[in-house]
Amino acid sequence: MMLTTQFPDISLDDTLFVFALEAEAGEVFREMNTVFTGIGKVNAAIALTKAIAVRRPRLIVNLGSAGSQRHGKGVVVCCNRFVQRDMDVTPLGFARYETPLANTPVLLEHGAAIPGLALETCGSGDSFETNHSDAPYDVVDMEAYVLALIARSEGIPFVCLKYISDDAGSEAAGDWAVQVHLAAEAFKRVLFNAV
């Protein structure tokens, strides 16, 4: 299994699998240590913070659906760089995506690379993005940035895998509704080497 190979000193019982929605986990993760945060950065921050306090995980694995214009539907990518894509305080003289008066870089780097998977930058925001052609990220979601930020601040190793459910274009909503239910099986193949 990929996780025990990459993190041999961390058991599955000490691993917290974090999803926004139960649909992304399917039946595959039913018997595992999971938390479902709900959609968006605020919900994700609240749910993960509570889960860390109660469960004290030694590894956090974020699994979820995402859009990408670079990768086709059904591909699983690994993200270890994150941008808060809806942070824009440029009228006050800050760089786009920069959080004012915070000690957080615009490009947050935290997370393990998974051999064999494309390594990407994920732009997280509280909107369903359908156009990011000029953005400094290749994958879009609504939670990963804050999950990575919390894991980093708590000193917990982090893995972020995204199942590409749509092209973040004009048909994204329809594609996502169909593809999201296929994510769990794709994660199973990657994490547990199941065919």
Side-chain angles (χ1 to χ4, degrees):
M1 182 176 75
M2 183 279 301
L3 288 177
T4 54
T5 302
Q6 193 140 355
F7 301 94
D9 61 331
I10 301 175
S11 72
L12 274 181
D13 290 339
D14 289 327
T15 301
L16 180 63
F17 293 93
V18 182
F19 298 87
L21 302 170
E22 290 184 42
E24 295 167 322
E27 295 296 316
V28 173
F29 294 87
R30 180 172 296 281
E31 301 301 320
M32 297 193 187
N33 188 17
T34 57
V35 63
F36 302 102
T37 66
I39 295 173
K41 293 182 307 204
V42 172
N43 289 331
I46 292 168
L48 182 57
T49 300
K50 286 181 178 179
I52 289 171
V54 172
R55 301 181 195 182
R56 307 235 183 262
R58 295 182 56 216
L59 173 65
I60 296 171
V61 179
N62 172 226
L63 304 172
S65 56
S68 178
Q69 294 177 346
R70 178 182 226 180
H71 299 283
K73 290 181 276 192
V75 172
V76 175
V77 300
C78 180
C79 299
N80 72 342
R81 296 174 310 273
F82 306 89
V83 172
Q84 186 172 203
R85 63 180 164 84
D86 53 4
M87 181 59 72
D88 186 353
V89 194
T90 53
L92 295 179
F94 294 93
R96 188 172 181 200
Y97 311 119
E98 180 181 1
T99 301
L101 311 174
N103 192 20
T104 307
V106 169
L107 183 65
L108 173 67
E109 296 187 50
H110 184 65
I114 302 301
L117 295 182
L119 201 55
E120 296 297 353
T121 301
C122 182
S124 298
D126 288 324
S127 62
F128 195 86
E129 186 164 307
T130 57
N131 181 14
H132 61 275
S133 57
D134 65 340
Y137 44 85
D138 308 302
V139 173
V140 294
D141 86 333
M142 299 176 80
E143 298 85 21
Y145 173 90
V146 73
L147 301 174
L149 182 63
I150 291 169
R152 186 185 82 154
S153 71
E154 294 295 321
I156 301 172
F158 184 68
V159 172
C160 179
L161 302 182
K162 294 297 174 181
Y163 174 83
I164 304 305
S165 59
D166 60 83
D167 67 359
S170 60
E171 302 297 318
D175 289 344
W176 178 84
V178 171
Q179 291 288 319
V180 69
H181 303 287
L182 304 175
E185 288 298 323
F187 293 136
K188 177 180 176 182
R189 286 191 296 275
V190 170
L191 293 173
F192 308 115
N193 299 320
V195 180

